[in-house]
Amino acid sequence: MNVLEGVLDEQAAPVLAQLSADLNASQSIELDVGGLRRINSLGVRAWVDFMRTLGERPVTFRRCSPSFVEQMNTVSDFRGHARVVSFLAPYVCESSGTTFFEELTVGKDVSADNFEGIGRRSCKECPEPLVFDDLPERYLQFLRFD
């Protein structure tokens, strides 16, 4: 599995081109994108070009970060034909104000027509329940494309 971290910006194109070359012999591709903190418009362009270079090989995304989820929800070609296995969902503890990112598995915790699994989380610092820190229908739009 390839782990991607940092920022997708104007510096991303050569890095993604090298990754594409390194993956050239792979039959299937698994990418952990949980470490991508920010993606700007030039990073989006570089990513879409990168996804096109992968052709029709199976691609799997794991631990999609909130910034990655945002792009999947707004840019039609961003995801390409990849399958999302899991994503990081934002939660907040209303007692302490602490934000947590919980990994949710598609098909197990949530699906395109069932968001119930999104609400069952407890704070790791106190006994209070965590609250999903977005609108599920908005944050989980990308599930409709599976």
Side-chain angles (χ1 to χ4, degrees), residues 8-9 39-49 71 75 78:
L8 285 179
D9 59 11
I39 304 169
N40 72 14
S41 60
L42 293 174
V44 167
R45 178 180 293 173
W47 183 264
V48 170
D49 291 344
Q71 296 305 324
V75 178
F78 192 80

Side-chain angles (χ1 to χ4, degrees), residues 27-30 56-60 81:
Q27 292 299 315
S28 62
I29 299 161
E30 190 170 346
E56 295 301 316
R57 289 177 285 168
V59 178
T60 302
H81 64 277

Side-chain angles (χ1 to χ4, degrees), residues 33 39 44 47-48 61 64-80 82 84 86-90 106 110-112 115 118 132-146:
V33 292
I39 304 169
V44 167
W47 183 264
V48 170
F61 295 147
C64 297
S65 69
S67 62
F68 198 86
V69 167
E70 180 180 347
Q71 296 305 324
M72 286 193 300
N73 285 336
T74 57
V75 178
S76 62
D77 292 344
F78 192 80
R79 181 175 171 177
V84 175
S86 65
F87 60 95
L88 301 178
V106 176
V110 295
S111 65
F115 301 158
I118 211 163
F132 187 69
D133 197 24
D134 206 324
L135 297 172
E137 298 79 18
R138 189 193 75 76
Y139 193 79
L140 302 173
Q141 287 177 37
F142 70 91
L143 293 175
R144 289 186 273 164
F145 305 116
D146 275 342

Side-chain angles (χ1 to χ4, degrees), residues 21-132:
D22 293 345
L23 294 171
N24 197 25
S26 301
Q27 292 299 315
S28 62
I29 299 161
E30 190 170 346
L31 301 172
D32 178 331
V33 292
L36 292 175
R37 297 183 318 273
R38 190 172 58 80
I39 304 169
N40 72 14
S41 60
L42 293 174
V44 167
R45 178 180 293 173
W47 183 264
V48 170
D49 291 344
F50 165 71
M51 290 301 294
R52 286 184 183 133
T53 68
L54 300 179
E56 295 301 316
R57 289 177 285 168
V59 178
T60 302
F61 295 147
R62 292 193 181 276
R63 294 178 9 91
C64 297
S65 69
S67 62
F68 198 86
V69 167
E70 180 180 347
Q71 296 305 324
M72 286 193 300
N73 285 336
T74 57
V75 178
S76 62
D77 292 344
F78 192 80
R79 181 175 171 177
H81 64 277
R83 181 174 66 94
V84 175
V85 172
S86 65
F87 60 95
L88 301 178
Y91 289 87
V92 66
C93 174
E94 291 182 328
S95 176
S96 68
T98 305
T99 300
F100 297 94
F101 295 95
E102 297 284 317
E103 183 175 5
L104 301 182
T105 302
V106 176
K108 176 184 172 197
D109 297 310
V110 295
S111 65
D113 57 354
N114 184 355
F115 301 158
E116 287 182 32
I118 211 163
R120 299 183 208 122
R121 302 285 180 268
S122 297
C123 183
K124 294 164 183 61
E125 298 175 359
C126 71
E128 296 298 316
L130 293 175
V131 176
F132 187 69

